[in-house]
Amino acid sequence: MVALIESTTLPVTALYAGLLSILFAYLALRVGLTRASNGVMHGDGGKQDIVRKARAQGNLAEYLPIFLILLALLELNKGLSSYFLHLLGIVFTVARISHAAQLSFPDSFPKQCREFGFLATASILSILGVLNLISYTTTSKR
């Protein structure tokens, strides 16, 4: 028996994966260039500038995968409008930019940028988690 596989696309998730991967590449490049300009091949060499920039990149690396997975699952289950998914994506993206900016340039951005970044990220991940649980309970009854 041949199984037919329905083609599924995830345009909203693809958009935020693309945008946020560009941000990630930018943050990684900044770490590499700062290491090179300080003659540091590995680690941070005790330089606070490298530590801050590496944490900005690392912090995005910690949150981005779970965000994209949860967003993709919601998009696959087709339980929410694409407008709402975009709202979640926009807030997450702004939160991560805000957090990275303040962590990377503490003298140029107020600490509230980092606080907003953390709180908005935690809120978006919590909302996505709850919505996925709701999606499970409604789709598992079918």
Side-chain angles (χ1 to χ4, degrees):
M1 176 186 234
V2 176
L4 297 177
I5 300 173
E6 182 182 323
S7 176
T8 303
T9 61
L10 301 170
V12 176
T13 302
L15 172 65
Y16 294 101
L19 290 172
L20 290 161
S21 70
I22 292 168
L23 174 61
F24 186 80
Y26 169 74
L27 294 173
L29 180 64
R30 285 175 4 100
V31 172
L33 291 174
T34 304
R35 280 185 177 140
S37 70
N38 284 282
V40 176
M41 293 301 294
H42 302 287
D44 57 42
K47 310 276 187 189
Q48 282 305 306
D49 191 34
I50 297 173
V51 171
R52 283 192 308 274
K53 289 176 181 175
R55 279 311 309 142
Q57 177 200 5
N59 201 273
L60 180 59
E62 293 164 1
Y63 289 110
L64 182 55
I66 190 66
F67 167 75
L68 291 175
I69 290 167
L70 292 170
L71 188 68
L73 290 171
L74 275 181
E75 192 170 9
L76 279 171
N77 287 326
K78 301 181 184 341
L80 296 170
S81 76
S82 63
Y83 296 112
F84 188 73
L85 294 176
H86 279 296
L87 175 65
L88 296 171
I90 290 167
V91 172
F92 183 84
T93 301
V94 170
R96 298 324 307 154
I97 291 170
S98 177
H99 187 276
Q102 200 286 325
L103 189 57
S104 298
F105 307 104
D107 296 332
S108 300
F109 293 91
K111 69 176 184 165
Q112 289 82 0
C113 290
R114 189 170 174 196
E115 292 167 355
F116 163 77
F118 168 74
L119 291 173
T121 296
S123 297
I124 292 297
L125 293 179
S126 297
I127 290 167
L128 285 167
V130 168
L131 291 173
N132 271 285
L133 289 173
I134 292 168
S135 177
Y136 168 78
T137 60
T138 58
T139 58
S140 67
K141 294 178 184 176
R142 295 183 208 169

